[in-house]
Amino acid sequence: MINKLVEKDERTTSVENASYKIGFHFMTYAIFLDVMYRCIRFHEGSFDLILIILLSCLPAIIYQYKKKIYPKNMIRNVALMSMIIAIFSFLLAVVIKKFLN
């Protein structure tokens, strides 16, 4: 009997997916920091970079929606988190504007 080597199993796939997640998060936060730096230092808007981040999340969201992995109260959670982020962003913008002027 010939023993075949298993090149890829569930554990390998799980580790690969976890590493892609870490890489994606690192890239996303690095771009956010770059946008903040450009905004504070050079007073320029980098909406193209923010759009890249938002669009890069879209395929994952669509795939997960089609696989029906979202809980039933997801829309409420997303709406609540969006409001919290909007308030925090507004307060951060006011503080930055106050200290830079």
Side-chain angles (χ1 to χ4, degrees), residues 8 12 15 22 28 49 66 69 71 77 89 91 97 99 101:
K8 198 169 194 178
T12 305
V15 170
I22 292 169
T28 302
L49 295 175
K66 284 186 176 184
I69 65 164
N77 292 342
S89 299
L91 293 175
K97 182 86 170 167
F99 286 112
N101 289 334

Side-chain angles (χ1 to χ4, degrees), residues 57-90:
C57 297
L58 196 59
I61 292 170
I62 292 170
Y63 179 78
Q64 291 170 2
Y65 180 77
K66 284 186 176 184
K67 295 296 181 180
K68 299 179 182 178
I69 65 164
Y70 290 126
K72 292 180 181 179
N73 60 359
M74 184 198 83
I75 293 175
R76 182 183 57 87
N77 292 342
V78 169
L80 180 64
M81 186 60 66
S82 297
M83 288 189 312
I84 291 171
I85 290 171
I87 292 168
F88 179 73
S89 299
F90 175 75

Side-chain angles (χ1 to χ4, degrees), residues 13-87:
T13 304
S14 175
V15 170
E16 283 178 349
N17 290 338
S19 68
Y20 295 147
K21 179 182 175 184
I22 292 169
F24 178 75
H25 284 226
F26 176 80
M27 180 187 65
T28 302
Y29 287 113
I31 291 174
F32 273 136
L33 288 174
D34 182 46
V35 168
M36 286 176 48
Y37 176 76
R38 288 182 185 192
C39 181
I40 293 170
R41 178 75 171 122
F42 302 117
H43 303 289
E44 66 179 38
S46 299
F47 297 108
D48 56 337
L49 295 175
I50 293 175
L51 186 63
I52 289 172
I53 291 172
L54 294 175
L55 290 178
S56 67
C57 297
L58 196 59
I61 292 170
I62 292 170
Y63 179 78
Q64 291 170 2
Y65 180 77
K66 284 186 176 184
K67 295 296 181 180
K68 299 179 182 178
I69 65 164
Y70 290 126
K72 292 180 181 179
N73 60 359
M74 184 198 83
I75 293 175
R76 182 183 57 87
N77 292 342
V78 169
L80 180 64
M81 186 60 66
S82 297
M83 288 189 312
I84 291 171
I85 290 171
I87 292 168

